[in-house]
Structures are given as C-alpha cells and as structure tokens.
C-alpha cells in the first residue's frame, strides 16, 4: 500500500539535503577566503608606490661615464639601480631614491672584474621580478652568492645584507657559485638568477638554469675557459702574456654582453616554497647573528607639525 505521507516528506528531505550542501559550500568558501587572506597578508609588500607611499625616482642620474677602472660603464645596457634607503641609523625612509651604477660597485669591490659585472647583471634581472615598480628597497632584502668576493660583494652592496645580520649567505651547493639568490622578506619571494649558457666561462661549472643565448659572442667562452685552466694549472705563476691576454678577453667579453639587452644573456626564476636553510652553507654562517636595528624605524610616525617641540605643540 502506498504511503500517503511520502509526497509530503520528500520535499522536506530535499530541503534538508540542499541546506546541508549549502552549509558545506559556505564553510568551504570561508576556508578558501581565510587561507587566501592569510597568504596575501604574509606576502604583502611593505608599501605600494603611488598608493600608500610616494617616492620620487630619477632625481639623480646614474654615473655611466666610462673611465679606466670602469670602461664598460658606458655600454647601453650596463645595469643601474634605483635604491631606497633610510635616513641614518634610526631614521625613516627617504622620500627619494639614489642611483647605483657599475662604477659605484667597482669602487666598493676594488677593481673591474668580470664577476662584478655578471653579478650586477644577474641582480638586475632578479630585481625586475622582485621590484616591478623599479624601486629597490634595501631594508627587506636577503642574498646568497658563491664564495667569490666579486659576487658576494655585489650582493652585499646592492641588498644591504650582512653576515652579522644572518641575511647574507653562501651556497651550500658549489655548482651555484656563479649565481645569486635575492630574497624579499616582505613579499616572501626568492629569485634565482645567473647567466645563460653560452656566455659562461668557468671551467667545469654548469649553468644552473636551462636557458641558452641565441647570439654569438665576440669572444668564444671556450677559449677563455681553456686559458683559465692553463692559468690555474700554473699554480700562481702564469706567464705575463697569459695574464694580459686573459684580462683583454674578459674586458672584451663583458663589453660585448652589455651592448645588448640583459635578457639576452641572463636568466632568472622565482623559487617556489623557498627555505633559506635549504640553500645556504651552515658552516659559513655567523653562529649568533645580530638583530638589525638600522632600519627598524623606516615607517615611524611623523610629528603632528613640521615645526613642533617634544610635547607635539607647534612652535
């Protein structure tokens, strides 16, 4: 016998089923929004140029005039950088950027070696990813390089990272000796950058990213690598001719590279799920790093009036 109540119960069952499904969907959306909000919060930049900060750029031209200690500085694609810093050891952000050129980096390092040029160019393509507005904030940067002072000096100079702060490291894997990692702590984005296969000239060292150049260098890197091998085998006593020839080939090579867009010779990639400790050599860390304090007041409030005393009352 048919149940006369069946037709009346079915709509109620459907309603309960639909209510349950809607409740599950609401809960899922809540979780999705919560996770998304937390991820955005963790990766938000310190500021957004033109929205909540107004930094004036280009107020000083980078020094691109070639000179005897920086002959490649005048090449059309020699990298330069717009740097944002803080005023003094306990100060706020400057409202302006200052320029850094290859000449500045060479003065800091002490000579114009090819390593400084390659490191600067690699940093430039990495910064293009990390700072799309072109303003490089030195207060939020960490860096990893090989142990060559050409590369580590470049990373330290451009980022402000220091061994004593625990934010400047050396690669655990020696195959990355001629690459760099730049890490932006506010957005939690890390970028690995290096040269492309075809301009590399370190004997026995691979290129750790997949891209290769599609142009022919004026200097064959294989010739340079062979000469470097001979110089190294000489055990510190190469011939004077080898010294002069190697210098000339390196000079010609970097000038050739900087005559074309950097993207033709260098490559960069964002490192997903980056973990600092997985990349650095722990044996070369400072055991008890110091807390960095020179940038802690970069976003400090201003006085109520530009001219006011300690009580805040305008004079």
């Amino acid at each position: 016998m048919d149940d006369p109540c069946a037709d009346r119960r079915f709509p109620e069952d459907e309603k309960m089923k639909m209510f349950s499904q809607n409740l599950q969907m609401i809960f899922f959306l809540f979780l999705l929004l919560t996770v998304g909000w937390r991820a955005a919060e963790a990766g938000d930049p310190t500021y957004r140029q033109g929205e909540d900060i107004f930094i004036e750029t280009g107020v000083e031209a980078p020094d691109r005039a070639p000179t005897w200690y920086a002959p490649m500085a005048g090449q059309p694609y020699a990298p330069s950088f717009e740097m944002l810093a803080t005023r003094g050891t306990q100060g706020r952000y400057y409202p302006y950027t200052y320029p850094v050129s290859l000449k500045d980096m060479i003065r800091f390092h002490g000579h114009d070696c090819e390593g400084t040029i390659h490191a600067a160019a690699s940093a430039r393509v990495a910064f293009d990813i990390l700072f799309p507005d072109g303003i490089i904030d030195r207060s939020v940067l960490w860096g990893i390089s090989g142990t060559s002072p050409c590369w580590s000096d470049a990373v330290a100079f451009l980022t402000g990272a220091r061994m004593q702060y625990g934010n400047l490291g050396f690669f655990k894997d020696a195959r990355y000796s001629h690459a760099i990692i730049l890490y932006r702590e506010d957005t939690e984005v890390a970028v690995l950058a290096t040269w492309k296969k075809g301009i590399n000239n370190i004997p026995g060292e691979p290129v750790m990213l997949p891209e290769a150049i599609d142009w022919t260098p004026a200097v064959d890197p294989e010739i340079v690598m062979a000469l470097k091998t001979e110089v190294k085998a000489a055990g510190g006593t190469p011939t004077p001719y080898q010294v002069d020839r190697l210098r000339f080939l390196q000079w010609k090579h970097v000038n050739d590279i900087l005559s074309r867009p950097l993207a033709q010779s260098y490559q960069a990639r964002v490192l997903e799920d980056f973990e600092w400790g997985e990349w650095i050599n722990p044996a070369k860390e400072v055991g008890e790093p110091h807390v960095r304090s020179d940038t802690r007041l970069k976003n400090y409030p201003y006085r109520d009036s530009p001219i006011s005393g300690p009580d805040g009352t305008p004079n």
Side-chain angles (χ1 to χ4, degrees):
M1 182 177 176
D2 293 337
D3 183 353
C5 297
D7 290 340
R8 290 195 298 272
R9 285 201 306 266
F10 183 78
E12 293 299 324
D13 291 343
E14 269 309 301
K15 289 179 182 178
M16 288 300 296
K17 183 178 179 181
M18 291 174 64
F19 175 77
S20 177
Q21 289 175 339
N22 290 338
L23 188 63
Q24 290 177 25
M25 180 61 70
I26 292 170
F27 181 68
F28 173 75
L29 290 173
F30 172 78
L31 286 177
L32 186 64
L33 289 172
T34 302
V35 171
W37 175 80
R38 287 177 178 169
E41 181 185 48
D44 277 348
T46 301
Y47 59 82
R48 291 178 174 83
Q49 167 73 338
E51 295 182 22
D52 54 18
I53 199 171
F54 305 96
I55 303 297
E56 297 183 15
T57 62
V59 295
E60 180 185 348
D63 186 354
R64 293 180 172 276
T67 186
W68 62 269
Y69 61 84
M72 73 298 293
Q75 290 295 337
Y77 296 98
S80 62
F81 310 86
E82 292 278 346
M83 314 302 290
L84 179 64
T86 53
R87 302 180 66 174
T89 59
Q90 301 291 328
R92 304 177 186 87
Y93 280 124
Y94 277 110
Y96 313 102
T97 57
Y98 65 85
V100 166
S101 70
L102 287 180
K103 291 177 75 172
D104 300 308
M105 298 180 68
I106 289 165
R107 290 190 190 105
F108 173 78
H109 180 57
H111 57 234
D112 68 315
C113 60
E114 61 177 354
T116 298
I117 310 308
H118 291 307
S122 297
R124 181 66 271 172
V125 297
F127 283 144
D128 288 342
I129 297 172
L130 290 169
F131 298 98
D133 60 11
I135 300 173
I136 300 164
D137 183 354
R138 296 175 83 251
S139 73
V140 298
L141 285 168
W142 299 42
I144 304 175
S145 74
T147 54
S148 163
C150 313
W151 291 71
S152 60
D153 278 1
V155 170
F157 186 73
L158 290 172
T159 64
R162 296 291 186 268
M163 293 291 293
Q164 66 264 36
Y165 296 147
N167 60 358
L168 179 66
F170 299 104
F171 282 111
K172 181 188 302 183
D173 187 338
R175 295 177 301 166
Y176 289 89
S177 290
H178 292 83
I180 60 172
I181 289 177
L182 300 181
Y183 172 65
R184 183 173 172 176
E185 65 179 22
D186 56 342
T187 58
E188 299 181 354
V189 176
V191 176
L192 172 67
T194 188
W195 44 25
K196 290 184 178 181
K197 185 175 178 57
I199 68 163
N200 59 302
N201 59 16
I202 304 299
E205 185 179 287
V207 177
M208 299 306 291
L209 287 176
E211 295 183 38
I213 63 172
D214 58 4
W215 57 279
T216 302
V219 175
D220 185 349
E222 294 294 333
I223 294 176
V224 177
M225 283 192 272
L227 182 53
K228 287 182 176 180
T229 300
E230 293 174 8
V231 169
K232 185 176 181 180
T237 58
T239 68
Y241 178 81
Q242 288 174 324
V243 172
D244 291 340
R245 184 168 185 243
L246 181 58
R247 162 62 187 181
F248 175 77
L249 292 176
Q250 292 173 321
W251 166 83
K252 186 175 181 179
H253 190 44
V254 296
N255 275 275
D256 184 33
I257 290 169
L258 298 182
S259 70
R260 61 190 69 246
L262 297 182
Q264 294 185 18
S265 304
Y266 300 90
Q267 55 187 319
R269 185 184 73 188
V270 173
L271 297 174
E272 303 295 340
D273 302 318
F274 172 76
E275 293 290 341
W276 178 261
E278 294 177 358
W279 285 88
I280 64 166
N281 185 344
K284 298 185 183 298
E285 283 188 288
V286 173
E288 297 181 4
H290 300 278
V291 176
R292 186 175 185 180
S293 61
D294 63 325
T295 59
R296 63 185 174 183
L297 301 182
K298 62 184 181 181
N299 198 30
Y300 210 67
Y302 286 87
R303 291 174 291 165
D304 292 337
S305 173
I307 302 176
S308 57
D311 61 356
T313 304
N315 292 334

